[in-house]
Structure formats: C-alpha cells, structure tokens
Amino acid sequence: METSSDHQIESEDNVREFFDEFEKATLLELISIEKAVIECKATGVGAKNKKDLAWNRVHEKFTKVPGTRKRNVQQLKNWWANKKKRARKDVTRVRRGVKLTGGGPKLKDISSETEEVLAIIPNQINPLINPFDSDGNDYYVVSTLVTVA
C-alpha cells in the first residue's frame, strides 16, 4: 500500500483511496487537453471562472471513464498541484546534482512521472535562457538533462 500523499485521497468515510495508475494516466490526459486554461497565470474573475469551467469539464470526463473512482473537483486539483510540486523538486534535484563537484554515485535521472508533467507545463519548470548570465544557463531539462552551449 502506497503512503505518498500524492496518491492518497480521503473519501467521505475517511478511508484513504489512492489514485491507481489508470486514473493517473487518465487525469494527465484530460489535464493536457485543458492545459491552456488550467495553467493560465491570469488571476482575474473571468480567468478564474474559465479555470473553474475547465476543471468541471475535466471532472465530468474523468467520472465518465469506466474504471475510475468517484472523486470531486478539489481532489483532482490537489492531485495535480501535488504532481507539479514533485516534478519541480525532481528537476531541481537533478539540476543541483549536475552542478556538484567531485565524484560520488551518479544521480538518478528525472522520473517518468516528471517527464509526463514536463510535457504539459515545460515553461513553468525550465528556466528562462539569459545570454548575459554565464552561471545561470548551464543546464535545463527537456525530459532529460541537456547542456546548453
């Protein structure tokens, strides 16, 4: 039984229900369809209403898929927020590890889950390229670590 907070959801009777692999893949696919609205950085009332409508569409489609458990919109939003946090941490771990000096064991590459999130929100995780900063542009992540010349 997994205990990662990314996977667990409390139901009405306080029994934790984990997202299984099928539900994760389904939700990632649905979010990628609505990513332009869900990941929009606008904060106005109109943008919030559009985001709410997009999450409601994701929820509606998610609940119609056979093999998915009953979840509410807030549970889906929390799962996505946790998934993005973990992806950022994973990318940061790899980025820091690359800049370390000395020997030691090779760091593990980014996980496949992080790659899936990167495919949806690459601009939020990869840093901006700055041609005037020689320290800041060493590495960025595009599903695997790449050196920028």
Side-chain angles (χ1 to χ4, degrees), residues 34-98:
E34 297 284 347
K35 71 181 175 183
V37 177
I38 288 174
E39 293 301 319
C40 177
K41 296 300 179 189
T43 58
V45 174
K48 183 186 178 327
N49 290 339
K50 287 179 183 178
K51 287 181 186 184
D52 289 343
L53 290 172
W55 275 111
N56 287 333
R57 286 191 299 270
V58 167
H59 177 257
E60 184 180 320
K61 291 175 185 177
F62 182 81
T63 55
K64 288 183 179 180
V65 174
T68 59
R69 294 184 197 97
K70 182 179 177 183
R71 314 271 188 193
N72 62 37
V73 174
Q74 190 59 47
Q75 290 171 326
L76 301 180
K77 285 181 179 181
N78 288 343
W79 180 86
W80 178 236
N82 288 337
K83 183 65 92 176
K84 289 192 299 183
K85 283 182 207 172
R86 284 200 172 76
R88 286 185 188 110
K89 284 182 181 179
D90 197 21
V91 168
T92 301
R93 176 190 56 79
V94 170
R95 207 176 277 143
R96 282 184 183 161
V98 166

Side-chain angles (χ1 to χ4, degrees), residues 103-121:
K106 181 184 181 305
L107 288 175
K108 290 192 288 185
D109 289 335
I110 59 173
S111 68
S112 61
E113 289 182 355
T114 297
E115 288 184 8
E116 293 168 352
V117 173
L118 277 172
I120 297 172
I121 57 165

Side-chain angles (χ1 to χ4, degrees), residues 15-32:
V15 176
R16 293 179 190 256
E17 296 179 14
F18 296 95
F19 280 89
D20 60 23
E21 294 303 317
F22 175 73
E23 288 177 319
K24 291 177 196 178
T26 302
L27 190 50
L28 279 172
E29 183 178 332
L30 294 173
I31 288 171
S32 69

